Amino acid sequence: MFVRQELWRHMKRCQSKPAMSDESAGGRQRVLTIAAVAKSAFSGQVDDGLMKVLSQMNDDEIARVVRNDFGLLQFAQSLYNRHGFNKTKHEYICQKVRELARFILALRKKCPSFTLEDAMKPANFMNVIDAVKDAAGFNQDTHSYQTPSLALKIGHSLLKVSEILHCRALITEDAELTNSAKAFQKLYKTKWSEYISHKALCTISDLKYNKPTKLPLTQDIDKLNDYLQRSAESAFQELSQNTTEHNYACLARLTLTRIILFNRRRVGEVSKMPLKNFLQRDDSYAFEELGLSAYEKRLCKYFTRVELKGKRGRKVAVLLSPDITKALELLVEKRKQCGVLQDNEYLFAAPKGNSFYRGHDCLKKFAAECGASHPEYLRSTQLRKHVATTSQILNLKHNELDQLADFLGHDISVHREYYRLPDATVQVAKISKLLLALEKGMLPELRGKTLDEIKDFTDEDDDQDDSDEDTSETRPQHITSGNYG
């Protein structure tokens, strides 16, 4: 047996220790966290895989709450049963568990011995309300939250906990726990919106008013694209001539960023692209019988399409140009020589571990290096909103808009509500034409015309009446109307 504080020294030299990559080996704090998890009173009642996931958390007060609350561990076990097979979801599991642990810490300020199961009792419902407000930073004077999303997330998690406890009570035939869980669900359904979610949603809505639209500039996108192409060509030559881990990493990061930028994909979707999806790509397209133009047929022969799993399991695709395909093939060829583990399933695998290169970090790095005037706007979400917003000027048909939304991985309603931003320039330039026409009583003459068909005309009344000189400084001399014939 070893003293807990000395265990980390033994693990460094123990001949029976399991083989670990440099990434997962960790240090003193990592070993002490594993020891703390193993010491937990409930460690034998949950899966070893879950305890391994929880051992990745920082050994702080929140982690100690997680390890010693049985209801919280049951919630974590439910998440692990659903998402544990996916290693990329392990961080999400820890995040959801820590949110509830922060709630429990806030609850224990009033009731030091409370557990998550105690929070499900109807008599403690108002204490639960106060704890959620405390954890989310509710301001009684302004009736707003510092972190409104946290209040909503804690509410969803508490409802899930009540369902878990209800199922456990039914299995164990615990009538008292069954009644408590059902009562909490009833209270949540009728009172949660009144006390928590309504104010949280209002806070989120208020924060969106007059918020500047941070869309990337076209010249910044051009600078980033040119920089990536030049750097990728150099990195390709370097890796071809000198196979090193550094050259592999450079080409992988550049290629990953180029795919994200061109396809306007979510960074997580491309970063976690499985190697098998690229190797099993289908280059044959039945486009001869679709009535495509000659230019569209050439594009079908030029690009390679790879399908991957998007948000909520939606099937999405990325288009790869020939130079990007060649770069990916070189990366696959050099994987073993550059230290990528054989069981690493990701296309953009990082050497000496089972992880992958993060697209957000790569995009942020190259945006800062390319000389853009606003590199902070060159992010995945802003790029996706940029293409959705600028597509408004194309006057796309309904089926074409559906195709764009499907490629971006959106439901069409989500695309219209969240991604087609109400661009200020579009509103001022186009809607103002209609408003000015209404002001002048010209609407009957605009019948059957679109906003783009309304053209400039000179307001003759303003030109002929010198008495309107003062008002002409406050509104345009030229308003728009149709062709009067």
Side-chain angles (χ1 to χ4, degrees), residues 12 126 169 211 229 232 255 284 300 331 428 440 461 478 484:
K12 292 180 67 175
M126 295 311 300
K211 187 177 181 180
Q229 288 186 351
T255 306
S284 59
C300 288
L331 289 172
V428 173
K440 288 294 181 180
D461 293 338
H478 296 279
Y484 290 71

Side-chain angles (χ1 to χ4, degrees), residues 206-223:
D206 292 343
L207 291 174
K208 295 179 180 180
Y209 292 140
N210 292 321
K211 187 177 181 180
T213 303
K214 298 180 179 179
L215 292 181
L217 302 176
T218 302
Q219 54 266 33
D220 286 347
I221 297 176
D222 291 339
K223 288 180 181 179

Side-chain angles (χ1 to χ4, degrees), residues 417-460:
E417 181 175 358
Y418 296 103
Y419 282 86
R420 292 187 67 189
L421 297 178
D423 186 57
T425 304
V426 174
Q427 288 186 342
V428 173
K430 294 184 178 293
I431 304 302
S432 61
K433 296 192 292 185
L434 176 61
L435 298 178
L436 285 170
L438 289 172
E439 185 183 56
K440 288 294 181 180
M442 311 298 295
L443 189 60
E445 302 180 40
L446 304 180
R447 184 175 300 161
K449 295 184 180 296
T450 66
L451 290 177
D452 290 330
E453 292 172 343
I454 301 176
K455 299 180 181 179
D456 295 338
F457 76 98
T458 302
D459 188 351
E460 297 179 356

